[in-house]
């Protein structure tokens, strides 16, 4: 079994080839960051055009890299949502066209399912656990558009335990980085700046910490960071923050986020344990899962709760097509293919039974 995966839901144009036994034969990612930089954020129309320009060559590179032709494929999988509609249409239409040439099934993958199942492709980063991550597990999904805790019961079978009332956690990182003048995407820049910082210097709030349940909120933390920045007397001409200020603010922000994620995940482990007695595996996935400080704090929580932490390998935390191809493999093995009448879904919750959170759906 060999599946071509295509990812175009946000600002990466990506194509990958993955085999049925979980070998990544090719994994090409082209970031559009430079296209969006002049605008200070992702512009959907710019993204759609950039996907259109790049998609053919990225797919060719992936196929050549894997050393195969379309006739060798078993299926083509594309991100079908959630995400920006223009990009989704480019990926889905390209995937459908290839399935017609190759005479193989088309598979529409929920982008979030791609993040959710990546550890089953790679195993975690934690050595001994590599290769075997069985259902069910608790999933902390932390990305630019989402912040959720879910019980993953099987392919296509998710139960949401909590979500954010306002910003996604990656979005909060991105906005914090903008306030600190660090650039985009903010997560890795905050993490780097925080390395030399003192996380205890600024007393930032920990929204939702100590509350029952698994929901999140980050807008208060963002506002508190803005206030902390304004309260610092400028010590450089022009009023810029010093490098030490930026480092301390970044570290204080990152510590606050980590505290909240650990607190919510602790509740998640309890709820999950009630539903699945004796099961205690927590998986962390999505772009923010690349953050070393957050991974370390989750590791401490897991050790404390006698749970097993499986962290998605850093290289596959942010958006890529290997995760889409692999979700395609998992679906193909179960006979879960889609018709050519599939329409991209800008909003596509993993758990369709979960009630909409306040503000939910504003972000893809
Ligand atoms: O999963 P992803 O690539 O895209 C979405 O599906 O949203 O996540 C991108 C997000 C961005 O907000 C980025 O700032 C954040 O992940 N991110 C990080 C790190 N690397 C990426 N956040 C914190 N620490 C990092 N090292
Ligand atoms: Zn993503």
């Amino acid at each position: 079994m060999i599946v071509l995966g295509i990812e175009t839901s946000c600002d990466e144009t990506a194509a990958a080839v993955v085999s049925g036994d979980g070998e990544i034969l090719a994994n090409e990612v082209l970031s559009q960051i430079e296209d969006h930089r002049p605008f200070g954020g992702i512009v959907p129309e710019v993204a759609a055009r950039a996907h259109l320009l790049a998609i053919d060559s990225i797919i060719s590179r992936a196929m050549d890299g894997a050393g195969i032709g379309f006739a060798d494929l078993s299926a083509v999988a594309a991100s079908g949502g959630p995400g920006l509609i223009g990009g989704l249409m480019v990926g889905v239409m390209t995937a459908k066209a290839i399935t017609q040439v190759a005479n193989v099934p088309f598979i529409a993958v929920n982008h979030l399912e791609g993040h959710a199942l990546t550890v089953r492709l790679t195993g975690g980063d934690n050595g001994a656990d590599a290769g075997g991550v069985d259902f069910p597990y608790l999933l902390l999904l932390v990305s630019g558009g989402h912040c959720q805790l879910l019980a993953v019961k099987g392919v296509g079978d998710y139960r949401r335990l909590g979500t954010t009332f306002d910003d996604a956690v990656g979005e909060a990182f991105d906005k914090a980085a903008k306030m600190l003048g660090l650039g985009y995407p903010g997560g890795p820049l905050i993490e780097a700046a925080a390395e030399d910082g003192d996380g205890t210097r600024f007393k930032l709030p920990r929204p939702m910490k100590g509350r029952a349940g698994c929901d999140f909120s980050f807008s208060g933390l963002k506002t508190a960071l803005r206030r902390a920045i304004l309260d610092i007397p400028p010590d450089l001409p022009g009023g810029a923050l010093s490098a030490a200020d930026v480092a301390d603010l970044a570290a204080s922000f990152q510590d606050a986020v980590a505290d909240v994620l650990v607190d919510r995940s602790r509740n998640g482990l309890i709820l999950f344990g009630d539903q699945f007695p004796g099961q205690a595996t927590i998986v962390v996935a999505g772009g923010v899962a690349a953050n070393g400080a957050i991974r370390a704090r989750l590791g401490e929580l897991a050790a404390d709760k006698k749970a097993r932490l499986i962290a998605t390998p850093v290289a596959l935390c942010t958006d890529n097509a290997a995760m889409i191809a692999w979700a395609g493999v998992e679906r193909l093995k179960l006979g879960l293919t889609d018709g050519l009448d599939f329409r991209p879904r800008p909003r596509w919750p993993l758990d369709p039974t979960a009630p909409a959170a306040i503000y939910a759906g504003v972000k893809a």
Side-chain angles (χ1 to χ4, degrees):
M1 189 182 279
I2 296 183
V3 174
L4 167 66
I6 297 173
E7 160 58 38
T8 54
S9 68
C10 192
D11 62 341
E12 270 94 16
T13 312
V17 179
V18 172
S19 72
D21 55 4
E23 196 183 341
I24 301 176
L25 303 172
N27 186 22
E28 297 288 335
V29 183
L30 179 72
S31 166
Q32 301 177 353
I33 286 177
E34 291 310 319
D35 298 314
H36 298 285
R37 200 183 294 286
F39 306 99
I42 296 168
V43 182
E45 183 60 25
V46 171
R49 283 167 190 266
H51 284 305
L52 203 50
L53 282 176
I55 189 86
D56 287 354
S57 61
I58 289 292
I59 290 172
S60 297
R61 272 192 356 219
M63 296 296 289
D64 292 350
I68 59 164
F70 289 149
D72 300 310
L73 294 173
S74 313
V76 183
S79 271
L84 299 172
I85 185 69
L88 292 172
M89 284 172 62
V90 171
V92 165
M93 286 175 60
T94 308
K96 285 178 181 173
I98 297 171
T99 65
Q100 293 311 286
V101 172
N103 198 23
V104 294
F106 164 70
I107 302 171
V109 169
N110 184 314
H111 174 88
L112 304 176
E113 179 162 78
H115 282 301
L117 301 180
T118 302
V119 291
R120 289 169 51 81
L121 164 64
T122 60
D125 250 3
N126 352 27
D129 287 322
V133 184
D134 294 327
F135 299 123
Y137 48 83
L138 175 68
L139 172 68
L140 174 64
L141 178 59
V142 278
S143 71
H146 297 270
C147 189
Q148 303 182 10
L149 276 156
L150 298 132
V152 181
K153 299 196 262 182
V155 175
D157 193 2
Y158 303 87
R159 183 143 180 265
R160 197 185 75 196
L161 305 176
T163 188
T164 179
F165 289 139
D166 39 60
D167 291 350
V169 60
E171 193 184 355
F173 266 102
D174 294 335
K175 289 178 178 168
K178 203 168 182 178
M179 285 186 234
L180 295 174
L182 291 172
Y184 180 89
L189 298 166
I190 296 253
E191 182 173 14
E195 238 164 69
D196 305 320
D198 172 5
T200 62
R201 178 169 156 206
F202 298 95
K203 306 280 172 270
L204 298 176
R206 271 68 175 153
M208 304 300 281
K209 187 175 173 183
R211 292 227 211 155
C214 293
D215 289 324
F216 302 84
S217 167
F218 293 101
S219 69
L221 174 57
K222 196 177 60 188
T223 311
L225 180 71
R226 177 169 292 123
R227 218 173 292 125
I229 293 171
L230 292 173
D231 284 348
I232 300 174
D235 64 351
L236 293 175
L241 297 169
S242 72
D245 291 337
V246 170
D248 294 346
L249 286 160
S252 302
F253 175 83
Q254 185 173 270
D255 282 3
V257 171
D259 264 3
V260 169
L261 295 180
V262 165
D263 179 76
R264 308 285 77 198
S265 299
R266 185 181 291 113
N267 285 2
L269 278 169
I270 294 168
L271 277 176
F272 180 75
D274 290 345
Q275 284 175 26
F276 301 98
Q279 302 284 348
T281 298
I282 176 166
V283 168
V284 59
V288 181
N291 186 287
I294 290 172
R295 294 162 87 93
R297 293 289 311 282
L298 290 170
E300 288 165 23
L301 170 72
D304 184 40
K305 292 288 156 201
K306 311 226 171 344
R308 184 170 73 134
L309 173 72
I310 311 279
T312 305
V314 171
L316 293 178
C317 282
T318 48
D319 289 349
N320 63 84
M323 69 183 195
I324 303 302
W326 173 251
V329 166
E330 295 241 36
R331 290 194 154 257
L332 188 60
K333 284 178 180 171
L334 297 171
L336 300 172
T337 61
D338 294 271
L340 294 185
D341 56 351
F342 173 85
R343 295 159 69 123
R345 299 179 60 178
R347 290 179 192 135
W348 186 358
L350 275 181
D351 176 359
T353 67
I358 312 165
Y359 207 72
V362 174
K363 281 285 293 182

